[in-house]
Amino acid sequence: RVLSLELNKDRDVERIHGSGINTLDIEPVEGRYMLSGGSDGVIVLYDLENLSRKPSYTCKALCSVGRSHPDVHRFSVETVQWYPHDTGMFTSSSFDKTLKIWDTNTLQPADVFHFKGTVYSHHMSPVATKHCLIAVGTKNPKVQLCDLKSGSCSHILQGHRQEVLAVSWSPRHEYVLATASADSKVKLWDVRRASACLSTLDQHNGEKSKASSETANTAHNGRVNGLCYTNDGLHLLTIGTDDRMRLWNSSTGENTLVNYGKVCNESRKGLKFTVSCGCNPEFAFVPYGSTIAVYTIFTGELVTILRGHYSTVNCCVLQPNFQELYSGSKDCNILAWVPALREPVPDDISEKSLPQQHLNPAYEDAWSSSDDEG
């Protein structure tokens, strides 16, 4: 299904945003509701289900936090995320230096966290049962951990030298966090530890750092602005402004050296890409200019390029139940990419009209009725 993804001609996503779309998220409970966040601070909530039951339909916007809403973000929304366990709550963070916790039913903020710098990225663990920490990457090199239970932002992870552009909790270990920074580094942390940093990923796997201390432990030769774990949490994909994507073994921190070729990435901020779920092989969907490139994760093969947007694609998200992809772009559109249906064989072609020699003898009728034989 993933290999046959194409722009769906029958499905539209209602166009609400008047400016570029930076972030999308589909809730993991039913896979039915999607959030989008835009450069104008607006957040929209969509129902992806086809309620009309017609072949052609529009995914309707159920509600939005628009420009006239008293609590709307003042600047660009960079990340939206559903609360992983139910749809009653979602989170958003913005260049206005805030992270907001929203009550979905009232569309009012239940809590607001303020930061000293621009917020590039935040993430809640999809698997945590023992903590309610939201990791936040900002212009400040210190990674902030906000506790939903206490409402405080007490915990800080120190180690990066420049702004933190992407953060992602492991889907396997609830206390393990990956962070990516403009300082070319990717760090893995265990947030229970005082010296929380577990490792700093090194693209050379320790080979080059003996020669010069300068290149020690950089994941990319440029800003690292995208992170995505595989669904089993065993590997981590990173993207940098050196036009490279790298695949790491998340337990050993080793660069697996898979070569994806040139992965164009001119984003000055965080880039939101995603991976397939439950496929074999697994795929990565990466915004690539005004297109989305689809790679086989473990071989590095560029499988296909999805074309349809008019301008830079900023984010894409997968609906795993149906292997459908949604992408958001600077062109203000959200596009739905769905697997092409296989052409059904017309009913009027019966076996008799097929040339006989094409029938495999194993499938031929071998029985005879006693009438023929007298």
Side-chain angles (χ1 to χ4, degrees), residues 3 89 95 106 116 164 175 215-216 231 250 265 268 293 325 346:
L3 292 177
M89 186 167 96
F95 278 178
T106 63
K116 290 196 175 76
V164 177
Y175 292 106
T215 55
N231 284 287
S250 60
N265 171 10
R268 299 298 302 153
L325 189 73

Side-chain angles (χ1 to χ4, degrees), residues 79 81 93 99 115 119 121-125 131-138 143-147 153 155 157 164 166-169 176-179 189 191:
T79 313
Q81 189 191 0
S93 59
L99 163 70
F115 302 93
V119 184
S121 169
H122 77 269
H123 193 230
M124 271 179 288
S125 168
H131 73 76
C132 281
L133 296 171
I134 303 180
V136 186
T138 70
V143 180
Q144 313 265 346
L145 298 179
C146 301
D147 193 338
C153 230
H155 217 90
L157 306 175
V164 177
V167 294
S168 181
W169 291 97
V176 173
L177 175 72
T179 59
W189 316 79
V191 300

